[in-house]
Amino acid sequence: MGRVTERRKVIRIRDGAISTRPDTLVAEEPLEIRLNGKPLAITMRTPGDDFALAAGFLVSEGVFGRADEVQNIVYCAGATGGGPSRSSEAESGGGSNTYNVVDVRTAPGVVLPDITLERNVYTTSSCGLCGKASLDAVRTTARWAIDDGPGTPPVRLEPALLAGLPDRLREAQRVFDRTGGLHAAALFTEDGEMLDVREDVGRHNAVDKLVGRALQRGDLPLSRTILLVSGRASFELAQKAVMAGIPVLAAVSAPSSLAVDLASETGLTLVGFLRGPSMNVYAGEHRIALRAAAAQG
């Protein structure tokens, strides 16, 4: 399996002085995701948590919603490999296994969405939608309504709580400290407790790894949680939040217009430009204690 970081020689120029030194870079490798033996998608990702990434990707595609719908996930021989070698993620494997191909097997009785069977997607580390045939192929029907949990009071977030989350995410980015080249996604409770954090060269992959790990633990839907992403909030990230049942998506950068439209349609709370005490609430403002924010101002 590939490493998360790699070393490369770099010529460094600082204040007119030139030196040669090794630099630590984030690794980027392709991962082919197969569903029941058939190629479905290729994504450029940082190696690690590959099974969770594949599972989370298939949650966003509407294939999975419960852990028992996944029969197993295995590594396959790479495209240039010579045989049908397979292993579990914890095993070393052998031969020509590249650890860049995973096959996800659905449990008996799981019905695949028609749209999944018709798609062969190529994704990059910056765009998870490239190669989809039409905008209709982008929208996926969610299993759960975006709500705050049955029989419970609505999620109500103080702006001060949201304001403190980016620093906590940054503190948890261990690989970013060495490379400066990774996106991150973190899951928090409504009280600000960090549940999980993942890093990847692709922002959509980081979210898929979070959601996939939650699926494997049997935690979906992720009601009463906050998803924080280190970059912008694209339509795709908003959709992944909706598909996982996450009621609040916050981003340190800007959302897209389509992300705001989706959030408004589904009831997702969407916060952008979350930087210190400043933030923009684009949708789902009923979950934000706006009077508290006005009082602080």
Side-chain angles (χ1 to χ4, degrees):
M1 184 163 32
R3 293 178 295 179
V4 174
T5 61
E6 297 183 5
R7 302 281 279 177
R8 295 288 189 276
K9 185 176 74 173
V10 60
I11 297 175
R12 184 177 182 179
I13 304 174
R14 295 290 186 276
D15 298 323
I18 300 175
S19 60
T20 300
R21 53 169 289 179
D23 194 19
T24 301
L25 304 178
V26 59
E28 183 177 28
E29 296 182 8
L31 178 71
E32 179 181 324
I33 300 172
R34 298 177 183 175
L35 183 59
N36 294 330
K38 296 182 179 180
L40 176 65
I42 297 175
T43 185
M44 301 303 296
R45 100 299 189 192
T46 301
D49 291 317
D50 290 338
F51 289 5
L53 191 162
F57 174 81
L58 290 169
V59 169
S60 69
E61 295 294 297
V63 176
F64 296 131
R66 302 192 314 269
D68 62 7
E69 293 175 332
V70 184
Q71 184 176 72
N72 65 353
I73 306 177
V74 296
Y75 282 114
C76 307
T80 59
S85 169
R86 298 191 174 192
S87 71
S88 69
E89 189 168 33
E91 293 173 347
S92 61
S96 58
N97 200 321
T98 63
Y99 297 98
N100 284 333
V101 182
V102 297
D103 186 22
V104 184
R105 295 281 174 172
T106 57
V110 173
V111 178
L112 299 180
D114 292 339
I115 197 169
T116 300
L117 299 175
E118 297 169 358
R119 186 181 306 158
N120 192 299
V121 185
Y122 172 75
T123 76
T124 70
S125 56
S126 60
C127 172
L129 302 178
C130 305
K132 293 190 177 182
S134 68
L135 187 59
D136 290 340
V138 173
R139 293 186 179 271
T140 309
T141 302
R143 293 195 181 199
W144 308 285
I146 296 298
D147 56 32
D148 304 312
T152 59
V155 170
R156 192 75 168 169
L157 300 175
E158 298 288 338
L161 183 146
L162 289 172
L165 300 185
D167 285 344
R168 295 180 59 192
L169 172 59
R170 178 67 184 83
E171 291 170 0
Q173 288 187 255
R174 291 175 296 177
V175 182
F176 182 89
D177 287 335
R178 289 184 283 155
T179 66
L182 281 177
H183 290 284
L187 198 66
F188 295 88
T189 68
E190 61 186 305
D191 297 322
E193 176 189 354
M194 181 180 285
L195 299 173
D196 199 1
V197 60
R198 297 292 103 186
E199 292 180 285
D200 197 277
V201 70
R203 58 175 59 88
H204 59 283
N205 290 336
V207 173
D208 280 340
K209 289 176 178 181
L210 274 182
V211 173
R213 285 162 61 91
L215 174 76
Q216 293 169 331
R217 294 192 301 262
D219 289 343
L220 296 186
L222 289 166
S223 304
R224 311 191 73 83
T225 62
I226 306 164
L227 174 62
L228 175 64
V229 295
S230 61
R232 60 187 175 86
S234 64
F235 170 86
E236 183 189 23
L237 295 191
Q239 177 173 269
K240 289 180 184 297
V242 170
M243 293 301 292
I246 298 170
V248 182
L249 170 61
V252 300
S253 191
S256 69
S257 61
L258 201 56
V260 175
D261 290 344
L262 179 66
S264 298
E265 292 172 12
T266 60
L268 174 71
T269 295
L270 179 58
V271 177
F273 292 107
L274 180 57
R275 300 169 183 176
S278 300
M279 65 196 75
N280 292 346
V281 182
Y282 292 89
E285 61 273 10
H286 62 284
R287 294 191 181 93
I288 308 298
L290 297 178
R291 289 185 180 179
Q296 291 175 1

